[in-house]
Every structure is written in structure tokens, then in C-alpha cells.
Amino acid sequence: MGNFGQLMDGFAIALTTHHIMVMVIGVLLGLVVGVLPGLGAPNGVSLLLPLTFTMDPISAIILLTSMYWGALFGGSTTSILFNIPGEPSSVATTFDGYPMAKRGEAVRALTLAFSSAGFGALVGVLVITLLSGWVANFALRFGSPEYFGVYFLAFASFIGMSGGSPFKTLVCIMLGLAAGTVGMDTISGEGRLTFGIPDLARGISFLIVVIGLFGLGELLVTVDEGYKFDGVKAKLDLSVILRTLAELPRYWATLLRSAVVGCWMGITPGGPTAASFMSYALGRRFSRRGKFFGKGEPEGIVSPETADHSAGSCALLPMLALGVPGSATAAVMMGGLMIWGLSPGPMLFSTRPDFVWGLIASMYAGNVIAVVLVLATVPLFAFILRAPFTVVGPLIAIICVIGAYTVSNHMFDLWLALIFGVVGYVFKKLDYPLAPFVLAVVLGDKAEDAFRQSMLSSGGSLTVFFETPLVGTMMGLGILLLLLPLVSLLVSAVSGNGNGPDVAKTPDHQTSRT
């Protein structure tokens, strides 16, 4: 009841005319940031942060978090309409969102994405409300072995539960890990895989990889296969949105499972990107229509969007309760708190309860406002698809080039984006999944740092990953997931049904987009 009373006090602070207007402005700015590839929530919040120095801390943090929600929602827009993730965590949404839009169901796809995202976000905020009191004790148990256990579990789940060829998935993960090691070694300070090119010493930005693989790569595939960019076949009226909203409760199990995965990955260091990938893999494994994932299956949109937004919300919990940001955006916000003279951590709840609970209350209102705004603009987004490919194609290319250059204002990034565009084209033509490659690029450096720090602290002994029940459980689950494809092949061989070789081949064709 203590938390409930403080939450009511927070609503009294957040639901003022001034703060509601701040939420609306923040969400609209976030939608723009999320739609434009190359910006993303961390960069958008960073650009907006200097403007908040003259604001009071409560209004400032409400503005930043509202932009965060808008960016998360906006990232789904280009993922579905153009197969270009506006946010890294929106990559998994492209797998089924874009095919659904191509067959004329863009309004339905966008409505599914926004409504399930709103559900996931509200579940995440509810978790923050309920768990903010004792999450510090749990999260303090995480050291470098536990961090590595989370990342290892994310990689293993993709190999064991993706439904595609385990060998191809493993190859893509290894290539992604290699791409993630390019640049300066964070522990020794030595350059790796730079091949004497000074520009590679900075490493390869994940946003450059995404823009190349999904933006330019998709353009190359479209041109090669002679596709035409068809307009929207769905009617742009309110009835489509209402029918889709009525359809959402049908996926209640997917919504709950994805929300749990997202909350877990948001509180732990996994983050929204890993949560969306893991939830998509779980959805494909447990869905009755798993074989249709990658072809425009609604659950393929609901799964990653719900997990993405619940993780994005929960990522703020360790920042508030411990002063340990759970995502890049949370890290930028934590810097803002320090500039405003606030110290994130357990003491913040006792010294500035008005700030903490005003922020938590604004999360509820901000996400509701975000859902309303994005649903109101669904017809506008869907209308974009009416333009012919001769117009949309060059526009997408221009957006990709601007986005790639915006990452660090460096011309070399444009060449890298083009190279990864060719890589994406080759992967798609050979039916190699892009998602494991992207996941490895995102989490590879973090997993490596956690592993090496664990090895240094244990004197090189691998037993450090099984010393505590927490890390031992995560590592054990990861190992079981890695062995799952082998067990499936053995079961098929023992049963003597003769389907062993085909099991590894069929899903690749079915899920070539992933």
C-alpha cells in the first residue's frame, strides 16, 4: 500500500496540464527520432538533454522519457513499411511486419505493433511500481559471470529455438562476433582486425550494420528480383484499426510470455534488443503457426514488440534503484540526473520521492499518449506505401545515407554501410538468417568483456560460471538450448521416420527473412 499511495501522489504531479503537454511534445519528437534510421533513442535523448538544463528535474525527466517512448514506437514504423529498423530493438519486427505490409496489410501490422507495444510498456511500468523496493538486493548479485550468463543464454536461445538451420545460425553468430571485435580492445587497448585502416580503430557501429543489412541490402534484393513497390491494399479507415485491436486478446499467451521475457531482459543487462530477438525465437518455437513466422504472421509482430517495450520500460528500474543503467538511453538519462544534482540509487527514493514517483506515474500516462498518437497516425504511415518504388526506393537510399553519416559524421561509415548492404544481399540470397548476426554484433563486445573479466577474477577457471545458483542456472539453460538441435536430430534418427535431413532444410526456406 505504501507504493500505491506514493504512486497516487506521483499522478497528482504528472497529470498537470504542463506535464501532459510536455509528454505530448516528447512523444512527437521521439516518433521523429525513431522513424529516422541512424538517430535512435540514445542519440535523440542526448540531443535533447542540453535543452532541459533550464527546466525543473521532474519536467525534464518526463520530457526525456516521453521521447524515449516515442522513439521505441516510431522505430516500428519504418521496420514495417520499409524493412528499415528505426531502432536497433525493432529489427525483429521487420521479419513479419514487412511481409504483412507488402501483402497490403500495413494498417493491421502497424496497429498490432503499436497496441502490443503499449501493453508491454504498461506491464514494464507496473513491474517498476511493484519491484522498485527490493530489486536492488537482486541486481546487486550480478557480477561479470552473471552478465556473461545472460548474454550466453541469449545466444544459445537463438541457436536452440530459432527453428532454422542451427549450423547457419551458428555461422552467422560467429561472423557477428568477429565484426563486433573490430577496433580497440577495451581491456588491453590493442587494435584488432583493423587491417592497418585507421578508421576501423573506432570499431563498427551497430547502427551502420543495421542500416546496411536491412536498408541497402533490402534495396539490392528488391532491384535484383524486379519487385515493384505496391501500394496499400487495406482500406485506410477506423474499422481496420478497431478490428485489429479486437483481434489482440487472441494472442494473450504470446503477450504474457513476451512481457515476462522483456521485463527480465530489461532488469538484467540483456536490454530491449536481446529481449525482442529472444521473444521472437520463443514465439516461433511455441506458436501453433511457427512455420509461418517470417511470412507475415501476426504473432511474429506481437512477440518482439511486447518484449521490446516491456524491456525498454524495465531498463529504467536498475538506473533509478541502483544507479546502474540498463540500456544506453538509461545511461544518458542518468547523466541528466547527475547534471540536475540528483544521485540515482536507493537513496533517491527517500530523498526525492516526488521526483521518482512523478516519473513512474508519467510512464503510465506517457505510454498511453504514445499509443493514442501512433494509432492516430496509422493512416498517414500506411499512405506512404501508395508511392511507387521509383519514388520510395531513392527516398529510402537517401534516408540510409543520411542516417549512416549522422551516426558519427564520418564518410568512412558510408562505405561500411554499403559493404554491409552487399553482405545483407548475399545473406538473403543464400538463406542465411540476419538476426543472429545482428544479435552478435550488438552483444558481442559486452559478452567478451564479461567473459574476460570473469577469467581474470577466477585465474582462468571456467568454474566461475557455475559457482552460484544464479549464474549456474543461466549457464545450464544455455547449454541445454545448445544441445537441443542435436537432441532433435537424434530423436528423428532413432524414430526412423527418414525426416532427419529435411528438418534442417525446410525452416531455412520458411524463415529466410530472419
Side-chain angles (χ1 to χ4, degrees):
M1 290 298 294
N3 282 7
F4 179 78
Q6 290 175 313
L7 181 61
M8 292 299 101
D9 293 338
F11 275 116
I13 297 173
L15 297 182
T16 62
T17 303
H18 171 68
H19 285 153
I20 290 176
M21 291 302 299
V22 169
M23 292 179 208
V24 172
I25 294 173
V27 168
L28 291 175
L29 290 174
L31 286 173
V32 175
V33 167
V35 166
L36 293 177
L39 280 179
N43 290 335
V45 172
S46 299
L47 293 173
L48 192 62
L49 186 59
L51 301 180
T52 65
F53 293 164
T54 58
M55 302 172 63
D56 69 274
I58 297 179
S59 299
I61 195 66
I62 288 177
L63 178 63
L64 295 183
T65 53
S66 297
M67 170 178 261
Y68 183 31
W69 311 139
L72 289 176
F73 281 98
S76 307
T77 304
T78 51
S79 296
I80 292 173
L81 297 185
F82 301 120
N83 203 35
I84 304 174
E87 281 285 308
S89 56
S90 300
V91 172
T93 306
T94 64
F95 303 151
D96 286 272
Y98 185 62
M100 184 178 289
K102 287 184 66 176
R103 68 172 183 238
E105 297 183 88
V107 176
R108 183 186 177 204
L110 288 167
T111 306
L112 280 172
F114 296 150
S115 54
S116 58
F119 174 83
L122 291 176
V123 170
V125 180
L126 182 62
V127 169
I128 293 179
T129 304
L130 298 176
L131 301 185
S132 58
W134 63 270
V135 69
N137 294 329
F138 173 77
L140 282 174
R141 299 168 60 187
F142 273 75
S144 54
E146 285 76 16
Y147 286 155
F148 179 76
V150 172
Y151 299 133
F152 177 73
L153 184 59
F155 291 133
S157 65
F158 226 92
I159 294 175
M161 308 187 74
S162 65
S165 168
F167 174 76
K168 289 185 176 182
T169 302
L170 180 60
V171 168
C172 291
I173 288 178
M174 299 304 292
L175 290 175
L177 291 174
T181 59
V182 174
M184 300 296 293
D185 184 358
T186 56
I187 295 181
S188 67
E190 298 179 356
R192 298 184 300 181
L193 299 180
T194 59
F195 305 103
I197 302 175
D199 292 308
L200 286 178
R202 299 180 295 111
I204 300 176
S205 170
F206 168 76
L207 292 172
I208 298 297
V209 174
V210 169
I211 291 171
L213 288 177
F214 292 92
L216 298 178
E218 180 65 30
L219 280 179
L220 292 175
V221 172
T222 302
V223 172
D224 177 61
E225 298 182 356
Y227 289 163
K228 292 184 178 180
F229 201 79
D230 297 326
V232 176
K233 297 180 176 63
K235 294 182 179 180
L236 303 181
D237 55 30
L238 185 61
S239 62
V240 178
I241 299 175
L242 294 178
R243 283 198 304 267
T244 306
L245 290 175
E247 173 189 357
L248 194 65
R250 184 188 310 169
Y251 310 112
W252 64 270
T254 302
L255 287 167
L256 293 178
R257 181 182 62 245
S258 302
V260 170
V261 171
C263 291
W264 167 255
M265 297 299 283
I267 295 174
T268 60
T273 303
S276 62
F277 282 129
M278 183 178 291
S279 180
Y280 184 86
L282 290 171
R284 179 163 52 185
R285 172 63 65 177
F286 292 109
S287 173
R288 295 178 180 177
R289 297 177 54 83
K291 63 181 180 179
F292 296 105
F293 272 50
K295 297 182 176 181
E297 176 63 24
E299 286 186 79
I301 299 175
V302 173
S303 294
E305 283 295 313
T306 305
D308 173 12
H309 287 251
S310 59
S313 300
C314 286
L316 298 181
L317 178 57
M319 185 270 285
L320 290 173
L322 295 173
V324 178
S327 66
T329 308
V332 177
M333 292 183 185
M334 189 174 73
L337 263 65
M338 294 178 177
I339 293 174
W340 303 327
L342 302 176
S343 299
M347 293 301 296
L348 186 62
F349 284 79
S350 58
T351 58
R352 289 297 303 271
D354 60 328
F355 175 86
V356 173
W357 292 103
L359 168 61
I360 294 175
S362 74
M363 293 180 186
Y364 288 97
N367 278 292
V368 172
I369 290 173
V371 173
V372 172
L373 287 178
V374 294
L375 285 176
T377 54
V378 161
L380 174 63
F381 295 146
F383 180 77
I384 298 175
L385 281 174
R386 286 185 168 178
F389 182 75
T390 53
V391 175
V392 176
L395 179 62
I396 295 175
I398 292 173
I399 292 175
C400 290
V401 170
I402 294 175
Y405 183 77
T406 304
V407 172
S408 60
N409 297 328
H410 205 280
M411 287 296 297
F412 185 73
D413 288 341
L414 299 181
W415 292 105
L416 285 178
L418 181 59
I419 291 173
F420 280 103
V422 175
V423 171
Y425 168 79
V426 174
F427 273 31
K428 289 186 177 183
K429 300 300 287 186
L430 297 179
D431 284 338
Y432 272 76
L434 293 178
F437 181 88
V438 173
L439 181 69
V441 173
V442 175
L443 300 182
D445 58 340
K446 299 179 182 179
E448 181 192 8
D449 289 345
F451 179 80
R452 294 175 68 180
Q453 289 169 5
S454 301
M455 290 292 96
L456 290 173
S457 64
S458 66
S461 174
L462 291 175
T463 58
V464 69
F465 298 114
F466 300 91
E467 287 182 349
T468 65
L470 180 59
V471 66
T473 300
M474 289 188 291
M475 294 297 294
L477 288 175
I479 293 173
L480 289 176
L481 288 171
L482 287 178
L483 296 177
L484 187 60
L486 294 178
V487 173
S488 300
L489 289 177
L490 288 175
V491 170
S492 299
V494 171
S495 64
N497 56 15
N499 292 334
D502 295 332
V503 172
K505 293 180 180 179
T506 303
D508 277 331
H509 174 71
Q510 294 172 340
T511 59
S512 59
R513 184 166 298 279
T514 58

